[in-house]
Amino acid sequence: MDKIDKITFTGSLPPFQSAILLDGMGDGARIRIDISRQYTNEILKLQSLAGQCFKVTIELEDKNVSW
């Protein structure tokens, strides 16, 4: 597998209550992100990192993206 240095895509939290799920013990969470199909290649790269530790950085976009 090639080394992945960076995966970039634009996404948003879906508008429903379970978009962010907190662990019952209070020591973790699961976040769901809606991503446009134009980022399929990046999503596949992200999928290849399953089971590995990685850093997530969120930057607010100045534009309003519509799905």
Side-chain angles (χ1 to χ4, degrees):
M1 176 189 342
D2 295 332
K3 182 180 180 213
I4 298 174
D5 292 320
K6 185 175 182 179
I7 300 171
T8 303
F9 54 83
T10 298
S12 66
L13 291 174
F16 48 77
Q17 186 175 10
S18 63
I20 300 174
L21 301 171
L22 297 177
D23 179 279
M25 300 294 290
D27 61 351
R30 177 171 289 168
I31 301 171
R32 297 179 186 198
I33 300 173
D34 285 343
I35 304 167
S36 172
R37 89 173 80 186
Q38 75 188 56
Y39 297 107
T40 299
N41 289 335
E42 288 77 9
I43 295 165
L44 293 174
K45 290 177 191 175
L46 183 59
Q47 185 180 32
S48 74
L49 299 178
Q52 298 183 54
C53 186
F54 52 88
K55 181 189 279 188
V56 176
T57 302
I58 305 295
E59 296 179 33
L60 186 60
E61 288 277 336
D62 289 333
K63 59 186 176 183
N64 185 7
V65 177
S66 174
W67 309 113

